Amino acid sequence: MKNVVLKKIITLFLYLMVGFAIFLLLRGHNHPGGGFIAGIIASAGFLLYGIVFGSDAILKKLGVNLRHITGIGLTLSFVSALLPMLLGKPPLTALWTDLPFTPDLSLTIGTPLLFDTGVFMVVLGIILTIVTNIMEELKWNS
């Protein structure tokens, strides 16, 4: 097992990049960020992981078929467009709700987060599908 240090650093780097991507995803509808850039950053982390460990390691680390990730993302984005229409509003109108945790603490979430999460999953699924297919074609398995 050569390059033990590189493998440990890349694994740590993957978790940092995915964590940062989730941070950008969650703050995207109020500040710069969002689903698209979060998906690109998470995909870059998995790409680096795949360069060191191979394409099979990416699929194993995710634990879910990439087509399922893309399909769930498309469904979430579609649902975020349909929910306002069910209430008689134009598609993609932002709907908000408060989730109370304690009498003093609540979390406000809305359909923009649902849409951004769908975009995140679509971008992640498509980019990783392309990357893993190219790596498999090149026989890039460590």
Side-chain angles (χ1 to χ4, degrees), residues 28-100:
H29 61 275
N30 290 329
H31 301 287
F36 186 77
I37 192 63
I40 290 174
I41 290 172
S43 298
F46 279 105
L47 172 63
L48 292 173
Y49 186 81
I51 288 171
V52 173
F53 290 98
S55 62
D56 291 337
I58 294 174
L59 301 174
K60 185 178 176 185
K61 182 65 85 173
L62 285 171
V64 178
N65 189 324
L66 293 172
R67 283 185 244 153
H68 295 162
I69 293 173
T70 305
I72 291 169
L74 284 171
T75 303
L76 289 176
S77 296
F78 186 67
V79 166
S80 73
L82 284 182
L83 282 177
M85 292 173 62
L86 295 174
L87 299 173
K89 297 182 180 190
L92 294 172
T93 300
L95 302 175
W96 299 94
T97 187
D98 287 324
L99 298 175

Side-chain angles (χ1 to χ4, degrees), residues 134-142:
I134 290 172
M135 292 175 104
E136 288 172 8
E137 192 65 34
L138 297 174
K139 310 289 189 255
W140 194 310
N141 287 317
S142 296

Side-chain angles (χ1 to χ4, degrees), residues 10-47:
I10 288 296
T11 303
L12 174 66
F13 195 64
L14 170 66
Y15 291 125
L16 287 173
M17 288 187 76
V18 170
F20 184 61
I22 291 170
F23 167 74
L24 285 176
L25 171 67
L26 294 176
R27 75 186 290 263
H29 61 275
N30 290 329
H31 301 287
F36 186 77
I37 192 63
I40 290 174
I41 290 172
S43 298
F46 279 105
L47 172 63

Side-chain angles (χ1 to χ4, degrees), residues 90-111:
L92 294 172
T93 300
L95 302 175
W96 299 94
T97 187
D98 287 324
L99 298 175
F101 290 111
T102 65
D104 298 331
L105 179 65
S106 67
L107 176 66
T108 303
I109 61 169
T111 54

